[in-house]
Amino acid sequence: MSIQNKYLLSVLDGLKVRNAHEPEFLQAVTEVLESLEPVIDADPRYEKMNIIGRLVEPERVVMFRVPWTDDAGNVQVNRGYRVQFNSAIGPYKGGLRLHPTVNLSVIKFLGFEQIFKNSLTTLPMGGGKGGSDFDPKGKSDAEIMRFCQSFMTELFRHIGPDTDVPAGDIGVGGREIGFLFGQYKRLRNEWSGVLTGKGLTYGGSLARTQATGYGLCYFANAYLKANGQSFEGKKVVVSGSGNVAIYANQKATQLGGKVIAMSDSNGYIVDENGIDYKVIQVIKEQKRDRIKTYLNYVPTAKYVEGCSGIWSIPCDIALPCATQNEINGESAKMLIANGCIGVFEGANMPSTPEAITAYQEAGIFFGPAKAANAGGVATSGLEMSQNSERLSWSFEEVDNKLKGIMEGIYAACADAAEKYGMAGNIQAGANIAGFLKVADAMLAQGVC
Ligand code: NDP
Ligand code: 2IT
C-alpha cells in the first residue's frame, strides 16, 4: 500500500530525511501511517493541528553512559536509553530491552509501537521504551546486578509511578526487575510502583509473567472464533523460548493446539509429539541454557542449527515470539505454501513489510503485534492499579480481566477496520483504533 495523502507524505518524507539512519523506526512509522490514510482524509483537524507530525517525534529521548565493573575487575561501559514517546493518555509505559543489537532506532520503533498498543488496552498508559546494548548472556548474577544498579543510577531521575513506569522486554525478567527496583528504592528512599513485572513478594501482580503469551492466545482465539476456527487440533510453531514463547506454548496447548517447534537465536527444536512448556521453563528460566539441550530431556526430538529455518516447518498457526523482522517475505511465503492459516505476533514487529504483504495477498489471518501482544502491558496496567490500591488480586481475577481485554482489543480492531471500509483487516483496525484515542486526547490538550 502506498500513501497518497499529501500531509502524511510530507511528514514521512521529513522523517526519512531526519532519521535516515533509523531503519526500524521508519519501518514502524510507515506501517502505521499507511493505515491512517482514511482517518486523516476524513477529519481535517488532525492535519490542522499537525497531530501526525507531533506523534512521530518523541516527547523526550534520554541517552546515558552505563559504567560497571565485571567479575574480573575490568571497567565496562554500555549505552543506556529511555525514549519517552507520548504521554497524552497516561504516564509513559513500556519495557526495557537488554540485547547487543539495541540502538536508538530499535528503542524508538518499540516506543512508537507502544503508544498504540497501550491505547488499545483501554488503560491509561502513554508510550515509552528503553534499554541498553548490554549483553546479559554469560554474565554472572553479580555482574547483572552491578549493571542494573548502574543503569538505574541514571534512569531513576527520569521515571516515577506517575511519570514513566518501565518493565521487562528481551533480556529483562524478574531477576533484572528486582535489581532495578532495589536501586530505585534506595536512591529515592521511596517504595512505589515505579516498575512492573515485580516479584510477588514486593508488589508484583499474579499472572504478569504469563500475561503476554496467554494474551496472545486469547487474542488469536477470539480472532479464530470470529471466523469459525479454533486452536483445536492445530499444529502450532512458536519462535523464541523466552517469556512470551513459553506461556504462548502453555496457553495454545490448553486451547487444544499442539506446539511442535520452538527456537532460540542459535537454532530450533522440532517435537511432533508436542513440546511441554515445563521442559522449556526448566531450560530457560532455571538453567538459562540453550534450546538444543531439549534433546537431553526428549531424545526423540530434532535440533536444527540456525533460527530462521523454523518457518519452513509445516504448521497451521505461527506465533513469532522472538524478535523484530524474524519473518521475511520468503519465510512468509513458505508458511503459506505449507498451509498456515494465521500468523499472530507475540514479538514486536516480527514480520517484515514483505511478509505482511504476503499474508494479505494470501488472505490468511494476521494478528499484528500491537494488538496481539498487548496482554503483557495490559497486565502491567493492572499491576499499577493494584499498587495504587495497596491490594493484590487473585490469579483468576487478573487472568479474567486479561482475557476480557484481549477479546475487547480484537473487537475494537475489527470494528475500526469495518468503519473505515477495510472490513477484516485487523492490522489497519489496530492502527486506527489505537490512534484515535491518542489523537483525540492530543487535540483536547492543545499544542504540547
Ligand atoms: P526473552 O528475553 O524472555 O526471550 C527472547 C527470546 O527470543 C529468546 O528465545 C531469544 O533467544 C530470542 N531472540 C532474541 N533476540 C533474537 C534475535 N536477534 N534472533 C533470534 N532470536 C532472538 O524476551 P521476551 O520473551 O520477553 O520477548 C520476546 C519478544 O516479545 C520481543 O520482541 C519483545 O519485544 C516482545 N514482547 C515482550 C513482552 C513481555 O512482556 N516480555 C510484551 C510484549 C512483547 P536467545 O536466548 O538465544 O537470545
Ligand atoms: O513490548 C511490550 O509491550 C513489553 N515489553 C511490556 C511492557 C510493559 O510495560 O509491561
Side-chain angles (χ1 to χ4, degrees), residues 308 311-312 326-338 352 354-356 358-359:
S308 60
W311 307 119
S312 67
E326 56 169 311
I327 305 184
N328 61 19
E330 206 182 311
S331 300
K333 285 184 189 138
M334 223 161 7
L335 279 169
I336 294 159
N338 286 332
T352 64
E354 295 75 27
I356 296 175
Y359 309 149

Side-chain angles (χ1 to χ4, degrees), residues 15-23 26:
L15 204 69
K16 282 179 183 162
V17 172
R18 279 183 295 137
N19 302 275
H21 53 294
E22 295 177 357
L26 292 174

Side-chain angles (χ1 to χ4, degrees), residues 82 93-97 110 114 117-118 125 128-129 165-170 196-197 208 212 244 346-348 373-381 384:
R82 187 71 184 168
K93 179 84 195 87
L96 297 171
R97 176 177 292 192
L110 290 163
Q114 202 81 45
K117 183 194 306 192
N118 293 2
M125 300 181 289
K129 201 84 184 190
V165 183
D169 193 81
I170 291 176
T196 59
R208 174 62 187 89
T212 313
V244 180
N348 284 305
N373 75 27
V377 74
T379 307
S380 281
M384 290 164 74

Side-chain angles (χ1 to χ4, degrees), residues 31 219 223 343-345 366-373 413 426-428 430:
E31 190 266 328
F219 178 89
Y223 193 154
V343 178
F344 305 96
E345 298 183 327
F366 172 48
K370 58 175 75 68
N373 75 27
C413 297
I426 301 304
Q427 179 210 1

